[in-house]
Amino acid sequence: MDTLNNATFEAIQLLASGDSELWNIIGISFKVSTTAILIATPPSLLLAFLLAYGNFPGRRLLISVFSTLLSIPAVVVGLTLYLILSRQGPLGDLKLLFTQSAMVLGQIVLCVPILVAMCHSALQAADRRAWETARTLGAGPARAVVTVMHEVRFGLFAALLAAYGRIIAEVGASMMLGGNILNATRNIPTAIALETSKGEFSQGIALGIVLLILAFILNGLLHYFQGKGRFAT
Amino acid sequence: MPARKLFKFMPLFFYSLVFIMALPAQAGDKALLRLATTTSTENSGLLQHLLPAFERDTGIRVHTIAVGTGKALRMGRDGDVDVVLVHAPAAEQAFVEAGYGIERHDVMYNDFILVGPAADPASVKQSQSASDALARIANNACIFISRGDDSGTNKKELKLWSNAAIKPKGNWYREAGQGMGKVLQMAGELSSYTLTDRGTWLAYRSKSPLQLVYQGDPALFNPYGIIAVNPARFPDINHAGAQALINWITSPPGQRLIGNYTIGGTQSFTPSANSGQFALGREPASQAH
């Protein structure tokens, strides 16, 4: 219990003191995960839309594949990409291993299944007439897509939050692909893993609290964006 | 509707991001050196003591990736790092002989020690040798935590068991598959014995319920070597940077910095470059501590 109390105290102290190393780590965490989710979202949305409204061979199989990928362990993603990005691997010439770009790639792979699966189920729940009405009223396909997405925006936001939550907190892929390099690829979860292995438990907990506080703020902001959102439509 | 606006701007977001991502591509950055090293040099705080001085002296930035010796050598073999600083002489020799690295340089040494519960149920404190100490642990079936991760410490431990003609097997022998710090914590929680390098132990001593129970056998010698990854295999690695680090760390100023790094007032590594005293495969007759 002492450790926990100390840790909470230390966390607040750390945040308040503006410790540059800590803020660096936080910055890396959010930069990498935000980049990943922003890159992953548009194609995932498109794919989810096709899966929900399209009619093509292999559609059901694709849906099952993405649902299955929900349970892929982060370490497996890390290891697979590690082997691909290593000098000996097929993409070795890009020299991406142990960079933030490698971490972004790993996190994209991790969050795409969540985005596709959850957006798909949200879109599927939308009334098909929204699409038809929009089209009849003269909206182009792109405009109609926006209309339908607006209909189910809460489900889509939930997907976004779940995906972001997974990648901001994952340690396996970031550790393998980034290498936990101070001021370059050390993010909050890998820093926690390091502090824990060093026996600096309170430092680890403090970083965990920092992550939670920042996630809370982010959620609050998104919630605000989402509007008042009880029974919209 | 804020949500609708958000969707409208999504493509714009996306493309500007791709653009931003493309900007800081750092391929071929000659001022960046990748060092794969062991958790012991990182966790003991030595690298944080040395590398800022190196970066200041040479303008080369160092990215340190701290893993077990086995993985560090593997990264060197695959050309994913430019230079390795590790502690497993036999594996290092094989690494150089296979052409993965070009030459091994002595950097420093410390030694391995056995730590265990203060009560010392296996009376390891009365051991005459490292083999004797391990035999006492095995005979009493006291819990021993092994790194079990193919690290330099793990390789050393397995060699010590084979020296003692003991096959470590049974419920008392537990392979953790974790770094040195984690293993020391586990050993502390389980009131058990483990083998650790002195540097990491000095850094953890104040937080650990364990005690040093055996030290001093020449077989526990722990030399660190630095090897540049062979540029013939990977022409575009930062070989100049690797050579600069090797020259610097084996130079008098680098060696002095290693010698004056202390943890809790105790010197944790002894510089040994160019002394000729600790050539590969030859261990010193005795060591004073």
Side-chain angles (χ1 to χ4, degrees):
Chain A
M1 207 53 220
D2 252 14
T3 317
L4 214 55
N5 286 336
N6 286 345
T8 316
F9 182 66
E10 248 176 68
I12 294 161
Q13 226 176 7
L14 265 177
L15 276 177
S17 69
D19 181 75
S20 75
E21 216 166 81
L22 174 76
W23 282 103
N24 234 326
I25 290 170
I26 294 172
I28 289 165
S29 252
F30 281 85
K31 183 178 162 205
V32 167
S33 296
T34 308
T35 310
I37 202 125
L38 286 178
I39 293 177
T41 303
S44 303
L45 267 175
L46 193 67
L47 190 57
F49 202 86
L50 288 177
L51 289 177
Y53 291 94
N55 198 1
F56 52 90
R59 189 182 76 98
R60 299 187 73 85
L61 179 72
L62 257 182
I63 293 172
S64 308
V65 165
F66 276 101
S67 312
T68 309
L69 286 178
L70 283 177
S71 41
I72 192 167
V75 200
V76 173
V77 170
L79 184 58
T80 311
L81 279 174
Y82 182 99
L83 292 174
I84 292 171
L85 295 179
S86 160
R87 268 323 158 84
Q88 304 292 68
L91 296 183
D93 290 342
L94 298 178
K95 292 189 199 163
L96 287 179
L97 198 58
F98 306 137
T99 62
Q100 290 185 4
S101 308
M103 296 166 79
V104 169
L105 272 178
Q107 299 197 350
I108 289 175
V109 173
L110 277 172
C111 70
V112 162
I114 299 183
L115 286 170
V116 172
M118 288 185 67
C119 290
H120 167 245
S121 63
L123 286 166
Q124 215 170 25
D127 196 328
R128 210 189 164 82
R129 278 172 299 181
W131 167 265
E132 283 155 6
T133 311
R135 293 290 280 147
T136 351
L137 289 178
R143 185 64 206 273
V145 167
V146 170
T147 308
V148 175
M149 283 183 176
H150 183 247
E151 288 295 310
V152 294
R153 61 189 179 282
F154 300 113
L156 298 181
F157 270 120
L160 215 61
L161 283 180
Y164 199 75
R166 170 159 205 202
I167 61 177
I168 193 90
E170 77 76 36
V171 60
S174 296
M175 189 65 105
M176 291 212 69
L177 296 169
N180 196 18
I181 299 164
L182 183 63
N183 292 334
T185 59
R186 182 167 301 168
N187 63 10
I188 300 177
T190 63
I192 293 174
L194 176 70
E195 295 302 338
T196 311
S197 83
K198 280 161 59 179
E200 303 282 356
F201 292 143
S202 51
Q203 190 84 1
I205 297 272
L207 280 163
I209 293 173
V210 168
L211 183 62
L212 279 179
I213 292 173
L214 293 170
F216 184 75
I217 294 172
L218 204 77
N219 268 301
L221 282 177
L222 264 180
H223 216 78
Y224 175 77
F225 248 113
Q226 197 170 286
K228 296 178 191 65
R230 252 162 274 149
F231 292 103
T233 55
Chain B
M1 274 293 154
R4 176 171 287 176
K5 261 184 216 151
L6 205 67
F7 285 129
K8 234 185 233 171
F9 284 113
M10 217 52 125
L12 195 69
F13 254 136
F14 177 50
Y15 292 114
S16 54
L17 238 128
V18 170
F19 182 68
I20 292 165
M21 283 280 290
L23 281 180
Q26 294 178 337
D29 187 349
K30 280 300 154 209
L32 181 66
L33 178 67
R34 279 180 176 160
L35 165 70
T37 186
T38 68
T39 44
S40 50
T41 52
E42 170 102 335
N43 286 4
S44 63
L46 177 72
L47 286 178
Q48 290 91 313
H49 175 69
L50 292 181
L51 292 180
F54 170 73
E55 292 180 338
R56 207 170 40 242
D57 288 358
T58 61
I60 299 173
R61 277 179 308 129
V62 183
H63 276 185
T64 306
I65 298 141
V67 290
T69 290
K71 191 164 178 210
L73 289 174
R74 171 76 200 238
M75 287 175 175
R77 196 189 96 185
D78 292 347
D80 291 323
V81 292
D82 306 309
V83 60
V84 294
L85 173 63
V86 291
H87 62 130
E92 289 165 39
Q93 191 163 21
F95 183 81
V96 171
E97 274 167 8
Y100 300 145
I102 44 179
E103 195 189 344
R104 180 191 179 278
H105 300 263
D106 277 312
V107 175
M108 61 195 179
Y109 67 88
N110 64 1
D111 63 342
F112 290 105
I113 53 176
L114 281 165
V115 296
D120 194 17
S123 335
V124 175
K125 283 177 185 161
Q126 285 127 48
S127 317
Q128 303 302 310
S129 67
S131 296
D132 182 25
L134 291 183
R136 284 166 190 262
I137 295 170
N139 292 340
N140 288 295
C142 291
I143 300 175
F144 183 94
I145 313 273
S146 165
R147 289 279 295 275
D149 62 350
D150 196 31
S151 59
T153 308
N154 188 217
K155 287 174 200 277
K156 176 59 123 186
E157 179 217 312
L158 294 175
K159 188 153 179 294
L160 289 171
W161 286 114
S162 82
N163 285 352
I166 296 168
K167 282 223 170 4
K169 273 214 172 72
N171 193 30
W172 59 273
Y173 184 75
R174 302 189 182 167
E175 293 186 47
Q178 309 241 32
M180 195 68 254
K182 271 265 176 61
V183 166
L184 280 174
Q185 287 164 29
M186 289 173 67
E189 295 291 335
L190 296 172
S191 290
S192 53
Y193 293 93
T194 192
L195 181 78
T196 171
D197 65 282
R198 190 181 292 268
T200 311
W201 168 247
L202 289 174
Y204 281 73
R205 187 173 49 178
S206 61
K207 288 181 289 233
S208 176
L210 301 176
Q211 279 187 355
L212 197 166
V213 291
Y214 184 76
Q215 62 176 340
D217 189 316
L220 295 175
F221 179 62
N222 179 25
Y224 286 77
I226 191 165
I227 306 172
V229 173
N230 193 347
R233 285 166 52 83
F234 305 100
D236 55 343
I237 58 171
N238 188 356
H239 182 60
Q243 204 54 54
L245 179 64
I246 292 173
N247 292 342
W248 183 86
I249 209 167
T250 57
S251 72
Q255 292 278 293
R256 241 193 328 273
L257 270 180
I258 294 174
N260 68 25
Y261 180 63
T262 58
I263 302 168
T266 317
Q267 181 183 355
S268 44
F269 294 92
T270 309
S272 66
N274 313 317
S275 64
Q277 194 185 350
F278 305 109
L280 186 63
R282 196 151 47 85
E283 299 185 343
S286 69
Q287 250 182 288
H289 279 292

